[in-house]
Amino acid sequence: MEPFPSDRIQLPRNMIENSMFEEEPDVVDLAKEPCLHPLEPDEVEYEPRSSRLLVRGLGEHEIDDDEEDYESSAKLLGMSFMNRSSGLRNNMSICRQNPNGSCSVPSARTMVACTVVLVIAVSLIIYLLPKCTFTKEGCHKKNHTMELIYPLASNGKVFPWAKIRLPPDVVPLHYDLVLQPNLTTLKFAGSVKIVVNIIRVTQKIVLHSSGLNITKATITSAEGREAKPAEFLEYPLHDQIAVMAPEALLVGQNYTINIEYSSNLSDTYYGFYKISYKDENSEQRWFAATQFEPLAARSAFPCFDEPAFKATFLIKIKRDEKLSTLSNMPKKATTPVTDGIVQDEFFVSLKMSTYLVAFVVADLENISRETNGSLVSVYAIPQHLNQAEYALNTAVKLLEFYQKYFLMNYPLEKLDLVAIPDFQSGAMENWGLITFRETALLFDSTTSSAMDKKLITAVIAHELAHQWFGNLVTMEWWNDLWLNEGFATFMEYFAMEEIFPELHSDEDFLNLIFKAMMKDSLNSSHPVSSAVQSSEQIEEMFDALSYIKGASLLLMLKQYLTKDVFQAGIEVYLHNHNYGSAQSDDLWDSMNEITNGTLDVKKLMKTWILHKGFPLVTVVRRGKIISVQQEKFSYHVETENWTSNASYLWHIPLTYITSSCNFTHCTNAYLLDQKSAVIELPEEVEWIKFNVDMNGYYVVHYAEDWKTLIDLLKNNHTALSPKDRANLINNIFSLAGLGKESLEKAFELIDYLNKENSTAPLTQALFQLSLIYSLLEKNGEQQLAARVMHRIEQLLGDKIDQQRWTDDGTLSERELRSTLLTFACTHGVRNCRTTATEMFEKWMKSNGTTSLPSDVMKAIFTAGTKSSDGWEFLLKMYSSSVSEAEKSKMIEALASTEDVRKMIWLMQNSLEGEVIRAQELSHIIATVSRSLPGYLLAWDFVKENWKKLTRKFHLGSYTIQNIISWSTSQFATKAHLLEVKSFFESKSEESSQLRCVKEAIETIQLNIQWMERNLAKLQELL
């Protein structure tokens, strides 16, 4: 899935043990301290005591689950100390080992002391739990029946499963799914037959269901001709149902579960959801589509909704004969059902995960082209079909490239790309039926800019890469989501460089890595591979670390292994695990098959996958001797969850170039797998630059050598590549934030920018200076902020004046033009607003009929909305525009207004989804937050509408992450810190424990620290 551009903390162990002695112990969440004893992916997360039942009288023969159930029960009863007792016994020995390996008997005093301690401990246990007899099976009453804790089902009966993860005793093989959506009543009816295989004897089949009104459930054995009615129990807290068999289900046998149900089409962006749009005649039409990743297939049909439970699917959809349907597979047949209703049947799918199932019911048109035996089609609503050609051409080129690179054909006969009128993400990689937000698929030659073209290309490249990474080979559980998303992101940029070099996509990837490192530098960050359990934790894995950090680690590995070795490792990985599931170690094992002992890839990469954050490498040059030392890049803000950095050690594939040879083929490599090392150069050099082209995921501090590099940029900046120059700018400002370098030196380094013509260093410098400007402006330092803006104008003013208000030039030049002019018009730099306002007024006088250059359209619209008439006219044009690219620029310009009432109206209207779709809300909040009057309004809006926001977008989702970040990231006072903390603490535990909430709080603390450290220095400097 392409997003559109929390760890829970454990009670200290003494508190866990103390909780045993409370009269009614609260639940202990053992997932809350991943650094000590990480929760295994299949361990249970327990519910509040109000939702649990103490089940007595269940004998051993009635419990067919493994011994984890006993352990789980012990944990729930507050007996976690029992888990450690066996370990203590194993480690205690009657004899004490001498250095030579022999044993000596302990002294009599030691024996007596140990005996006394043991007697006291046993007495205490017996006193506290007088009715409990401990055996190796657990805690038994005197009648020898087991005491287990299970939740209550919705009907008040005992639900036979307490874990979030499904039991492993039943696996699905095949689904027959029949659906009948009604786009008039906005409801749907369904039935599903699931063929399952029994791994262990059981009398229950536990699977997922969410919000479905189940009316009937039956079970049929492989030999049985008659379906037997089955009782079913529902446990909504875990989205689970249990189908209770009338008799034991036997190992190795197949059974068929048949479930009939109905539900409403969702009004969120999850599951099987409804969308309204206006057709060519401005009539309201309805559209039904799916978005199942990560946990929403269960809201469309009962299923085993975990990625490792792969199965085949036969899908049939009954629909109005005037509409059309699409699903993962090609259509097999269409048959009449009743008057005006027909049924479409699709071919049986390949083996795949439930989150990849998809179907669309709508009035759509398409264009198609065949390549290598597969029919590639782009679908859109009729009035948008003329914008589909670029996407079709791009998809065909990318599909052909991937098949050659992976040495593995795309396995389906068709590939559909569908533009959805209202879609939360950028796109979703459903196998054979990829769904997109319209702006991520449709290209209008008159209104789409160079940046729009790059976005569309990138999203298609990402989703097509998923057809192999994610669909063919799927991560086993969501803790390894990076295997899907990191790989797809890496392949997205790699493929674009290979096929579309004119787009300069590597510059975009560089900027994304810089932003990911800002997030990863926080203590509230998480390892790329992290244990997750709850739906909120799973949703939060869809973040910059899974996507961008994951991709950048693969880039670093590719550079270190060489491209041929890396490609061969990928081929082995795909071949070994196709149609199956994989973990991170499977990828490293595949790479090790190719390196064949010359390098332990697993040992190298585990230091990156299992550690959060990234290293700071300090370089000291003394003649030919280069000393390098690594430590964790850390701000050392004392938070509640602060973790020590002492144990962090990465295996860092360092790269460097020197003044003696600074071409790419002269790149040197060194693996730093210790805290420090010494590199001896063959000769003395004038300068050395590490992390060539920013291909490594680390920051470099040059100590005394910063002055040498500053002089190099002033005198001969082209001695370094544009990416290396951007890397230096990013690193020195990061180090200034850390307190390891001065802001003065950072400003000195960017003094050369008036000679800079490349996009990457210019955009990185503008980004860093804008952060400082925004922080000062929002915190009462307007005069100092104005001086920062004056400095920006000194550095970039001439460059802004040189920009032409046209669409000519290379794509990189056009993108830079758009960035610089939008910034200048937003902040009133030079004569940008004057020129843009004149162009807007001409456009307005023509009633929007004259064409505007697409690359500068956003700058023109932004200037035009400064007047009330201009804003109103742009809103009218927004409502009537048929170009999604144009509407996207309009909405950002509308949100750039300085009129408070208009800002509030935009946010409220987008949440309601009437004039402006809810998919635009996070974009609107981000834009509103950038302005001085808007940043407080945005936070107030989030507070007042929190319940509506989390219902529409779900806790932990990428949208909620962005909304929280944008609405709080510019606060820098203790009052705001307290307000943000208090607000989230007043909400549910799920809200307060979100990782993005912890990031927001930590960011405010860092802002406060930055202001305290740098305010006086800035006043002197500027």
Side-chain angles (χ1 to χ4, degrees), residues 65-83:
D65 304 306
D66 56 31
E67 291 183 1
E68 287 181 24
D69 282 336
Y70 307 135
E71 182 185 350
S72 299
S73 301
K75 288 174 183 173
L76 283 168
L77 290 166
M79 298 173 339
S80 60
F81 67 95
M82 291 300 294
N83 297 335

PDB file of all heavy atoms in Angstrom, residues 65-83:
ATOM      1  N   ASP A  65      -5.687 -26.828  23.077  1.00  0.00           N
ATOM      2  CA  ASP A  65      -4.650 -25.891  22.671  1.00  0.00           C
ATOM      3  C   ASP A  65      -3.346 -26.247  23.364  1.00  0.00           C
ATOM      4  O   ASP A  65      -3.316 -26.998  24.332  1.00  0.00           O
ATOM      5  CB  ASP A  65      -5.062 -24.465  23.025  1.00  0.00           C
ATOM      6  CG  ASP A  65      -6.404 -24.140  22.389  1.00  0.00           C
ATOM      7  OD1 ASP A  65      -6.514 -24.316  21.155  1.00  0.00           O
ATOM      8  OD2 ASP A  65      -7.305 -23.754  23.126  1.00  0.00           O
ATOM      9  N   ASP A  66      -2.260 -25.676  22.873  1.00  0.00           N
ATOM     10  CA  ASP A  66      -0.954 -26.033  23.414  1.00  0.00           C
ATOM     11  C   ASP A  66      -0.748 -25.417  24.786  1.00  0.00           C
ATOM     12  O   ASP A  66      -1.597 -24.739  25.333  1.00  0.00           O
ATOM     13  CB  ASP A  66       0.175 -25.621  22.466  1.00  0.00           C
ATOM     14  CG  ASP A  66       0.103 -24.145  22.148  1.00  0.00           C
ATOM     15  OD1 ASP A  66      -0.351 -23.386  23.020  1.00  0.00           O
ATOM     16  OD2 ASP A  66       0.504 -23.755  21.034  1.00  0.00           O
ATOM     17  N   GLU A  67       0.421 -25.699  25.351  1.00  0.00           N
ATOM     18  CA  GLU A  67       0.672 -25.306  26.726  1.00  0.00           C
ATOM     19  C   GLU A  67       0.722 -23.812  26.926  1.00  0.00           C
ATOM     20  O   GLU A  67       0.720 -23.348  28.054  1.00  0.00           O
ATOM     21  CB  GLU A  67       1.975 -25.940  27.208  1.00  0.00           C
ATOM     22  CG  GLU A  67       1.855 -27.443  27.370  1.00  0.00           C
ATOM     23  CD  GLU A  67       3.133 -28.045  27.921  1.00  0.00           C
ATOM     24  OE1 GLU A  67       4.066 -27.280  28.188  1.00  0.00           O
ATOM     25  OE2 GLU A  67       3.165 -29.252  28.098  1.00  0.00           O
ATOM     26  N   GLU A  68       0.718 -23.031  25.835  1.00  0.00           N
ATOM     27  CA  GLU A  68       0.708 -21.573  25.988  1.00  0.00           C
ATOM     28  C   GLU A  68      -0.542 -21.121  26.725  1.00  0.00           C
ATOM     29  O   GLU A  68      -0.559 -20.094  27.376  1.00  0.00           O
ATOM     30  CB  GLU A  68       0.777 -20.892  24.619  1.00  0.00           C
ATOM     31  CG  GLU A  68       2.133 -20.995  23.987  1.00  0.00           C
ATOM     32  CD  GLU A  68       2.168 -20.295  22.643  1.00  0.00           C
ATOM     33  OE1 GLU A  68       1.348 -19.394  22.439  1.00  0.00           O
ATOM     34  OE2 GLU A  68       3.013 -20.663  21.817  1.00  0.00           O
ATOM     35  N   ASP A  69      -1.645 -21.904  26.586  1.00  0.00           N
ATOM     36  CA  ASP A  69      -2.871 -21.529  27.283  1.00  0.00           C
ATOM     37  C   ASP A  69      -2.655 -21.533  28.790  1.00  0.00           C
ATOM     38  O   ASP A  69      -3.180 -20.698  29.502  1.00  0.00           O
ATOM     39  CB  ASP A  69      -4.000 -22.498  26.930  1.00  0.00           C
ATOM     40  CG  ASP A  69      -4.582 -22.185  25.553  1.00  0.00           C
ATOM     41  OD1 ASP A  69      -4.443 -21.028  25.128  1.00  0.00           O
ATOM     42  OD2 ASP A  69      -5.143 -23.094  24.922  1.00  0.00           O
ATOM     43  N   TYR A  70      -1.916 -22.538  29.285  1.00  0.00           N
ATOM     44  CA  TYR A  70      -1.666 -22.583  30.718  1.00  0.00           C
ATOM     45  C   TYR A  70      -0.848 -21.379  31.144  1.00  0.00           C
ATOM     46  O   TYR A  70      -1.101 -20.742  32.154  1.00  0.00           O
ATOM     47  CB  TYR A  70      -0.929 -23.876  31.078  1.00  0.00           C
ATOM     48  CG  TYR A  70      -1.621 -25.122  30.579  1.00  0.00           C
ATOM     49  CD1 TYR A  70      -0.900 -26.127  29.964  1.00  0.00           C
ATOM     50  CD2 TYR A  70      -3.007 -25.280  30.716  1.00  0.00           C
ATOM     51  CE1 TYR A  70      -1.523 -27.269  29.496  1.00  0.00           C
ATOM     52  CE2 TYR A  70      -3.637 -26.423  30.247  1.00  0.00           C
ATOM     53  CZ  TYR A  70      -2.901 -27.415  29.641  1.00  0.00           C
ATOM     54  OH  TYR A  70      -3.510 -28.529  29.177  1.00  0.00           O
ATOM     55  N   GLU A  71       0.181 -21.076  30.328  1.00  0.00           N
ATOM     56  CA  GLU A  71       1.035 -19.924  30.645  1.00  0.00           C
ATOM     57  C   GLU A  71       0.207 -18.648  30.618  1.00  0.00           C
ATOM     58  O   GLU A  71       0.333 -17.791  31.482  1.00  0.00           O
ATOM     59  CB  GLU A  71       2.178 -19.846  29.635  1.00  0.00           C
ATOM     60  CG  GLU A  71       3.125 -18.711  29.914  1.00  0.00           C
ATOM     61  CD  GLU A  71       4.170 -18.590  28.819  1.00  0.00           C
ATOM     62  OE1 GLU A  71       4.256 -19.489  27.977  1.00  0.00           O
ATOM     63  OE2 GLU A  71       4.877 -17.580  28.831  1.00  0.00           O
ATOM     64  N   SER A  72      -0.668 -18.537  29.611  1.00  0.00           N
ATOM     65  CA  SER A  72      -1.497 -17.346  29.497  1.00  0.00           C
ATOM     66  C   SER A  72      -2.387 -17.201  30.713  1.00  0.00           C
ATOM     67  O   SER A  72      -2.570 -16.120  31.243  1.00  0.00           O
ATOM     68  CB  SER A  72      -2.357 -17.427  28.230  1.00  0.00           C
ATOM     69  OG  SER A  72      -1.542 -17.506  27.104  1.00  0.00           O
ATOM     70  N   SER A  73      -2.971 -18.316  31.163  1.00  0.00           N
ATOM     71  CA  SER A  73      -3.839 -18.255  32.328  1.00  0.00           C
ATOM     72  C   SER A  73      -3.067 -17.811  33.558  1.00  0.00           C
ATOM     73  O   SER A  73      -3.543 -17.024  34.362  1.00  0.00           O
ATOM     74  CB  SER A  73      -4.465 -19.635  32.573  1.00  0.00           C
ATOM     75  OG  SER A  73      -5.203 -20.038  31.447  1.00  0.00           O
ATOM     76  N   ALA A  74      -1.859 -18.338  33.674  1.00  0.00           N
ATOM     77  CA  ALA A  74      -1.037 -17.939  34.822  1.00  0.00           C
ATOM     78  C   ALA A  74      -0.763 -16.458  34.809  1.00  0.00           C
ATOM     79  O   ALA A  74      -0.844 -15.782  35.826  1.00  0.00           O
ATOM     80  CB  ALA A  74       0.269 -18.726  34.813  1.00  0.00           C
ATOM     81  N   LYS A  75      -0.474 -15.924  33.613  1.00  0.00           N
ATOM     82  CA  LYS A  75      -0.201 -14.486  33.513  1.00  0.00           C
ATOM     83  C   LYS A  75      -1.424 -13.688  33.925  1.00  0.00           C
ATOM     84  O   LYS A  75      -1.339 -12.684  34.617  1.00  0.00           O
ATOM     85  CB  LYS A  75       0.199 -14.130  32.085  1.00  0.00           C
ATOM     86  CG  LYS A  75       1.580 -14.617  31.689  1.00  0.00           C
ATOM     87  CD  LYS A  75       1.822 -14.352  30.217  1.00  0.00           C
ATOM     88  CE  LYS A  75       3.168 -14.895  29.812  1.00  0.00           C
ATOM     89  NZ  LYS A  75       3.368 -14.813  28.369  1.00  0.00           N
ATOM     90  N   LEU A  76      -2.583 -14.155  33.471  1.00  0.00           N
ATOM     91  CA  LEU A  76      -3.796 -13.414  33.788  1.00  0.00           C
ATOM     92  C   LEU A  76      -4.096 -13.443  35.273  1.00  0.00           C
ATOM     93  O   LEU A  76      -4.670 -12.507  35.813  1.00  0.00           O
ATOM     94  CB  LEU A  76      -4.974 -14.016  33.014  1.00  0.00           C
ATOM     95  CG  LEU A  76      -5.024 -13.620  31.541  1.00  0.00           C
ATOM     96  CD1 LEU A  76      -6.014 -14.482  30.810  1.00  0.00           C
ATOM     97  CD2 LEU A  76      -5.395 -12.162  31.413  1.00  0.00           C
ATOM     98  N   LEU A  77      -3.734 -14.526  35.934  1.00  0.00           N
ATOM     99  CA  LEU A  77      -3.982 -14.631  37.364  1.00  0.00           C
ATOM    100  C   LEU A  77      -2.927 -13.912  38.189  1.00  0.00           C
ATOM    101  O   LEU A  77      -2.924 -13.980  39.393  1.00  0.00           O
ATOM    102  CB  LEU A  77      -4.017 -16.108  37.771  1.00  0.00           C
ATOM    103  CG  LEU A  77      -5.248 -16.871  37.247  1.00  0.00           C
ATOM    104  CD1 LEU A  77      -5.029 -18.360  37.400  1.00  0.00           C
ATOM    105  CD2 LEU A  77      -6.497 -16.435  37.976  1.00  0.00           C
ATOM    106  N   GLY A  78      -2.011 -13.235  37.504  1.00  0.00           N
ATOM    107  CA  GLY A  78      -0.975 -12.501  38.216  1.00  0.00           C
ATOM    108  C   GLY A  78       0.159 -13.382  38.671  1.00  0.00           C
ATOM    109  O   GLY A  78       0.862 -13.059  39.615  1.00  0.00           O
ATOM    110  N   MET A  79       0.356 -14.540  38.019  1.00  0.00           N
ATOM    111  CA  MET A  79       1.350 -15.489  38.473  1.00  0.00           C
ATOM    112  C   MET A  79       2.532 -15.531  37.531  1.00  0.00           C
ATOM    113  O   MET A  79       3.075 -16.578  37.241  1.00  0.00           O
ATOM    114  CB  MET A  79       0.722 -16.876  38.611  1.00  0.00           C
ATOM    115  CG  MET A  79      -0.390 -16.856  39.638  1.00  0.00           C
ATOM    116  SD  MET A  79      -1.366 -18.365  39.784  1.00  0.00           S
ATOM    117  CE  MET A  79      -1.149 -19.218  38.308  1.00  0.00           C
ATOM    118  N   SER A  80       2.941 -14.370  37.049  1.00  0.00           N
ATOM    119  CA  SER A  80       4.045 -14.360  36.083  1.00  0.00           C
ATOM    120  C   SER A  80       5.343 -14.860  36.700  1.00  0.00           C
ATOM    121  O   SER A  80       6.231 -15.285  35.990  1.00  0.00           O
ATOM    122  CB  SER A  80       4.239 -12.954  35.518  1.00  0.00           C
ATOM    123  OG  SER A  80       4.531 -12.063  36.552  1.00  0.00           O
ATOM    124  N   PHE A  81       5.429 -14.835  38.032  1.00  0.00           N
ATOM    125  CA  PHE A  81       6.651 -15.308  38.672  1.00  0.00           C
ATOM    126  C   PHE A  81       6.845 -16.805  38.424  1.00  0.00           C
ATOM    127  O   PHE A  81       7.956 -17.303  38.427  1.00  0.00           O
ATOM    128  CB  PHE A  81       6.625 -15.038  40.184  1.00  0.00           C
ATOM    129  CG  PHE A  81       5.584 -15.852  40.925  1.00  0.00           C
ATOM    130  CD1 PHE A  81       5.909 -17.046  41.529  1.00  0.00           C
ATOM    131  CD2 PHE A  81       4.266 -15.399  40.985  1.00  0.00           C
ATOM    132  CE1 PHE A  81       4.944 -17.777  42.201  1.00  0.00           C
ATOM    133  CE2 PHE A  81       3.313 -16.129  41.653  1.00  0.00           C
ATOM    134  CZ  PHE A  81       3.635 -17.323  42.268  1.00  0.00           C
ATOM    135  N   MET A  82       5.759 -17.527  38.164  1.00  0.00           N
ATOM    136  CA  MET A  82       5.884 -18.960  37.908  1.00  0.00           C
ATOM    137  C   MET A  82       6.653 -19.233  36.627  1.00  0.00           C
ATOM    138  O   MET A  82       7.312 -20.250  36.492  1.00  0.00           O
ATOM    139  CB  MET A  82       4.500 -19.620  37.831  1.00  0.00           C
ATOM    140  CG  MET A  82       3.766 -19.662  39.169  1.00  0.00           C
ATOM    141  SD  MET A  82       4.663 -20.589  40.415  1.00  0.00           S
ATOM    142  CE  MET A  82       4.611 -22.232  39.721  1.00  0.00           C
ATOM    143  N   ASN A  83       6.535 -18.313  35.667  1.00  0.00           N
ATOM    144  CA  ASN A  83       7.250 -18.506  34.407  1.00  0.00           C
ATOM    145  C   ASN A  83       8.751 -18.524  34.613  1.00  0.00           C
ATOM    146  O   ASN A  83       9.475 -19.093  33.813  1.00  0.00           O
ATOM    147  CB  ASN A  83       6.918 -17.373  33.424  1.00  0.00           C
ATOM    148  CG  ASN A  83       5.455 -17.372  33.066  1.00  0.00           C
ATOM    149  OD1 ASN A  83       4.803 -18.399  33.138  1.00  0.00           O
ATOM    150  ND2 ASN A  83       4.961 -16.209  32.678  1.00  0.00           N
TER     151      ASN A  83
END
